[in-house]
Amino acid sequence: MTDPTLDHVLNIRDLSVHFPVGGGFMGRGKKILKAVEGFDLRVRRGETLGVVGESGCGKSTLARALMGLVPIKDGHIGFHPRTSEIGPGGLDLAAASRAEWKKAHRAMQIVFQDPFSSLSPKQTVGQTVGEPLIVHGVAPRGWRERVGELLDMVGLSAADFDRYPHEFSGGQRQRIMIARAIALEPEVLIADEAVSALDVSIQLQVIRLLEDLKAKLGLTLIFISHDLSVVRALSDRVVIMYLGRPVEVGEGHQIFSDPRHPYTRMLIRSTPVPDPDFRLEQMESFGELPSPIAPPPGCPFHTRCAHATDICKTTLPGPVRLSDTHHAACHFATELPAMPPLRRSVA
Ligand code: SF4
């Protein structure tokens, strides 16, 4: 049998991340928010994986769990970079020591949504981008030159070294954060809503930069967004998340041409089409995202799903295999009629 770690840089198994919320004296009345629950996913080496869902579906918590920024309740995160610092057996990030996390952070980095709050106003661009090099003892003598190279790679200039964040636009600040994230030559880059705060034209520029860096550096890119159209533009594979779980996983063309989970269809139908002659047809689903503190029993989507039957209210659907690369967690994934195309309005 082939070793799966040859092809997969991350192997996430049964991952759960819970947060206690509320509660009075001595924690009485405390509730549990299940941000990520029973999450299974393999990330292929060198792919761009889009992770999509509404705000509150757990996608950013998943990103933070991969970076060790939130405590993990259960599960495993097998990390198998090619770096010689981490042996052939890889690391289980869910049980990693501080020393192991330091190695892991050389091989996996993240870019967050808001570059301004991620940047220290008191640090120059050079200090910000060079900090990981100094902390990890990489290029201790030539770090200034290396920062110049990194700024050049993200479309800025070595002449920006001594400037401060407030002197840059939002898009340029995100480029600074990307330069910092690639400073240690990671194998995996997580972009967590990294273009969501930017104007559409600037979003496109930053997406092109990420694609360019992925090709040049051989990155695996995990692109997290609530915006299906952005994910569609750049992802090889797509994971649709709902209430902390992956509900549909497939190649981009499978997800967008033949979505098999009603929630995926809802997301596609609620994505604006950039053509004024198109109008949205009747939605297949309705209502708001339930609270992850009290998720519905059975299929978590049943309170919004037009296809729900009795079994959906009591039984959590497992992933239904639609092909080697396409799975959907719906009792009726193979039976749903094809999603009709969006119709052109006659008005
Ligand atoms: Fe809808 Fe039932 Fe499928 Fe859940 S299992 S998505 S409720 S049809």
Side-chain angles (χ1 to χ4, degrees), residues 51-59 225-228 238-249 255-256 259-271 283-290 299-308 328-330 333 336 339:
V51 182
V52 198
E54 291 161 286
S55 177
C57 73
K59 54 195 188 303
S225 177
H226 67 281
D227 186 339
L228 203 62
V238 177
V239 181
I240 308 289
M241 270 187 85
Y242 189 75
L243 285 178
R245 298 176 185 273
V247 294
E248 187 159 4
V249 182
I255 295 288
F256 293 106
R260 291 278 102 205
H261 195 286
Y263 180 60
T264 310
R265 294 178 176 204
M266 188 191 95
L267 287 182
I268 291 172
R269 287 185 178 284
S270 55
T271 301
M283 305 261 282
E284 291 196 14
S285 317
F286 50 88
E288 299 292 322
L289 185 72
C299 171
F301 191 59
H302 85 256
T303 54
R304 303 170 82 187
C305 182
H307 302 280
C330 170
L336 290 180
M339 188 176 87

Side-chain angles (χ1 to χ4, degrees), residues 120-129 160-165:
S120 165
K122 293 182 183 163
Q123 282 192 324
T124 65
V125 168
Q127 288 167 333
T128 297
V129 175
D160 293 322
F161 191 100
D162 292 315
R163 295 174 68 196
Y164 286 88

Side-chain angles (χ1 to χ4, degrees), residues 2-62:
T2 322
D3 178 357
T5 64
L6 292 175
D7 298 326
H8 295 95
V9 68
L10 281 162
N11 185 2
I12 304 166
R13 281 183 290 124
D14 208 19
L15 183 70
S16 295
V17 180
H18 294 180
F19 300 110
V21 288
F25 181 65
M26 303 285 283
R28 282 193 198 106
K30 195 164 64 181
K31 294 183 173 154
I32 300 295
L33 187 155
K34 295 177 179 176
V36 175
E37 183 70 353
F39 196 100
D40 290 313
L41 182 70
R42 282 179 173 179
V43 181
R44 293 180 195 153
R45 205 179 295 284
E47 73 174 341
T48 297
L49 178 72
V51 182
V52 198
E54 291 161 286
S55 177
C57 73
K59 54 195 188 303
S60 287
T61 302
L62 173 68

Side-chain angles (χ1 to χ4, degrees), residues 31-290:
K31 294 183 173 154
I32 300 295
L33 187 155
K34 295 177 179 176
V36 175
E37 183 70 353
F39 196 100
D40 290 313
L41 182 70
R42 282 179 173 179
V43 181
R44 293 180 195 153
R45 205 179 295 284
E47 73 174 341
T48 297
L49 178 72
V51 182
V52 198
E54 291 161 286
S55 177
C57 73
K59 54 195 188 303
S60 287
T61 302
L62 173 68
R64 283 165 171 74
L66 296 180
M67 293 300 295
L69 301 175
V70 291
I72 288 165
K73 181 177 180 291
D74 280 316
H76 302 277
I77 305 173
F79 184 39
H80 304 278
R82 293 202 194 279
T83 172
S84 56
E85 271 204 315
I86 295 172
L91 284 176
D92 181 1
L93 298 180
S97 65
R98 281 174 77 93
E100 287 172 331
W101 267 116
K102 194 171 177 190
K103 291 178 190 171
H105 284 156
R106 278 197 66 168
M108 181 154 59
Q109 280 288 316
I110 188 165
V111 178
F112 291 108
Q113 174 175 358
D114 182 358
F116 204 60
S117 65
S118 307
L119 288 163
S120 165
K122 293 182 183 163
Q123 282 192 324
T124 65
V125 168
Q127 288 167 333
T128 297
V129 175
E131 191 171 79
L133 298 171
I134 294 165
V135 168
H136 286 264
V138 180
R141 289 205 191 89
W143 73 274
R144 293 180 74 92
E145 287 124 85
R146 175 72 181 137
V147 169
E149 283 169 19
L150 289 162
L151 291 174
D152 195 45
M153 285 170 77
V154 299
L156 297 171
S157 150
D160 293 322
F161 191 100
D162 292 315
R163 295 174 68 196
Y164 286 88
H166 70 269
E167 299 176 60
F168 293 87
S169 67
Q172 288 172 321
R173 284 185 214 130
Q174 199 57 296
R175 287 173 189 267
I176 296 167
M177 293 314 299
I178 292 170
R180 180 184 163 103
I182 61 169
L184 297 170
E185 300 181 12
E187 291 183 40
V188 178
L189 182 64
I190 304 170
D192 181 13
E193 299 279 9
V195 300
S196 303
L198 305 175
D199 291 344
V200 173
S201 62
I202 309 296
Q203 281 188 0
L204 271 178
Q205 292 172 14
V206 174
I207 287 169
R208 287 207 185 105
L209 171 65
L210 290 170
E211 286 180 314
D212 194 39
L213 292 172
K214 175 180 180 284
K216 273 188 193 140
L217 305 176
L219 294 168
T220 301
L221 185 59
I222 301 176
F223 191 87
I224 293 172
S225 177
H226 67 281
D227 186 339
L228 203 62
S229 57
V230 173
V231 166
R232 182 176 196 159
L234 94 166
S235 302
D236 302 314
R237 269 195 324 140
V238 177
V239 181
I240 308 289
M241 270 187 85
Y242 189 75
L243 285 178
R245 298 176 185 273
V247 294
E248 187 159 4
V249 182
E251 306 287 343
H253 66 89
Q254 293 170 326
I255 295 288
F256 293 106
S257 66
D258 188 21
R260 291 278 102 205
H261 195 286
Y263 180 60
T264 310
R265 294 178 176 204
M266 188 191 95
L267 287 182
I268 291 172
R269 287 185 178 284
S270 55
T271 301
V273 178
D275 180 338
D277 288 340
F278 274 89
R279 72 176 174 201
L280 299 180
E281 292 173 274
Q282 188 186 6
M283 305 261 282
E284 291 196 14
S285 317
F286 50 88
E288 299 292 322
L289 185 72

